[in-house]
Amino acid sequence: MKKVIVTGATGFIGSWLVQELLKYNIDTTLIVRNKQKLLPEIVCDSHLKVVEGEINSSLVDKIEDRNFDAFIHMAWSGVLPEDKNDVKLQLTNISMSISAIELAQKIGCRKFVASGTVAEYVLCDDVMNVYDRQTPNDMYGAAKASAHHFLEVRARQLEMPFVWMIIPSTFGPRRNDNNIITYTILTLLQGQKPSFGGLTQMWDFLYVGEVARAIRLICEFGKTGKIYGIGSGCHKPLRLYVEKIRDMIAPDLALGIGEKPTMTKQTFSSCVNIFELTRDTGFLPEVSFEEGIKITIEYFKKLVFEQSLKK
């Protein structure tokens, strides 16, 4: 794989994906709304080109290159908890995704790869089969599932090779929203007790660098028409991850497990079968949860220290 085009490069996973691609000297064109939001360390890379604008047919004339090996569609608005049930916002993502695959066809891309999410399968109490019926629990998951079906049909109409990825629960440096990993680390670093529900769900977390590597391999070796679940291939109760973080930061601090009410009566799982991913691309995790968490804790320690200096 020599040349790709990427949307969503200013997002958490997207920014790591761009670094992964550039590490392998892959010529990478980014479509972004605001190039000022890109990581400073990548903007001068000789293998990088940036196109500013909304994802639509008008970008055709702005993109100089043609015949990309892959168009990697990662852009998605409304991923924060407060936006996930904004129906109007989520619907715009479906339209944007259709525009993306149509643009890919016009500039001669050989493959269109788009990102789904484990949120498509929330009501799943076992290791999820990504070919099973989707069971989203919010408008974000529903919009992702809908985008998948729209893209699948449009890809057939355009005769565009198409691959769908299921992105896992991802953690690592630069993820600063209030997800359970970030919340737990920051609360413990402040010497406070984090509060949770029962944390009985079976869960799978994957370090963001590993997610980026899996996406690169899918783009290079993934087979047309496939859905690839990305994950570590291992899972355990959510409470064990939280306890591991506590033990690595402050073993003597208490955890408020069970202090918050359970949000739903159904216990759900976030565990993905990665058999086809491994078979088709060779992907196997290289960074364990413990190794990834150690890196993430150090990132937040530095962030907290820098913020304290500004006060």
Side-chain angles (χ1 to χ4, degrees), residues 5-183:
I5 188 164
V6 180
T7 69
T10 59
F12 169 54
I13 296 175
S15 66
W16 278 85
L17 172 61
V18 174
Q19 289 180 304
E20 172 75 10
L21 296 168
L22 295 177
K23 183 172 71 175
Y24 286 86
N25 296 323
I26 296 170
D27 290 331
T28 304
T29 296
L30 308 181
I31 299 176
V32 297
R33 291 192 182 100
N34 183 357
K35 63 182 180 182
Q36 300 301 320
K37 293 183 178 181
L38 292 170
L39 295 175
E41 55 264 40
I42 70 170
V43 293
C44 294
D45 194 291
S46 61
H47 292 280
L48 189 74
K49 294 181 180 180
V50 180
V51 176
E52 277 190 302
E54 299 291 335
I55 301 170
N56 55 47
S57 58
S58 67
L59 286 182
V60 171
D61 296 330
K62 290 186 177 182
I63 300 172
E64 298 176 357
D65 291 337
R66 292 293 185 270
N67 301 316
F68 292 89
D69 295 306
F71 189 116
I72 312 170
H73 183 49
M74 302 291 294
W76 196 273
S77 300
V79 298
L80 297 176
E82 58 267 27
D83 296 325
K84 287 190 172 182
N85 283 304
D86 185 328
V87 176
K88 186 176 180 180
L89 179 59
Q90 295 302 335
L91 285 174
T92 63
N93 288 303
I94 300 173
S95 177
M96 176 181 62
S97 298
I98 296 298
S99 295
I101 197 170
E102 291 173 347
L103 178 61
Q105 193 267 344
K106 289 177 181 177
I107 60 177
C109 294
R110 298 186 182 91
K111 181 186 296 185
F112 188 85
V113 181
S115 59
T117 169
V118 290
E120 297 173 53
Y121 303 88
V122 166
L123 303 180
C124 171
D125 57 6
D126 200 352
V127 176
M128 66 180 67
N129 180 344
V130 294
Y131 291 98
D132 282 348
R133 175 179 175 270
Q134 293 126 311
T135 55
N137 199 38
D138 57 25
M139 291 301 171
Y140 165 67
K144 279 287 191 180
S146 298
H148 178 196
H149 295 302
F150 272 94
L151 287 170
E152 196 168 45
V153 172
R154 197 70 182 109
R156 286 199 299 269
Q157 293 172 341
L158 297 173
E159 298 183 344
M160 168 68 69
F162 169 59
V163 177
W164 186 252
M165 307 177 292
I166 300 299
I167 303 297
S169 295
T170 307
F171 70 94
R174 302 200 297 269
R175 181 166 185 182
N176 298 324
D177 61 320
N178 198 35
N179 66 89
I180 190 170
I181 296 289
T182 302
Y183 165 71

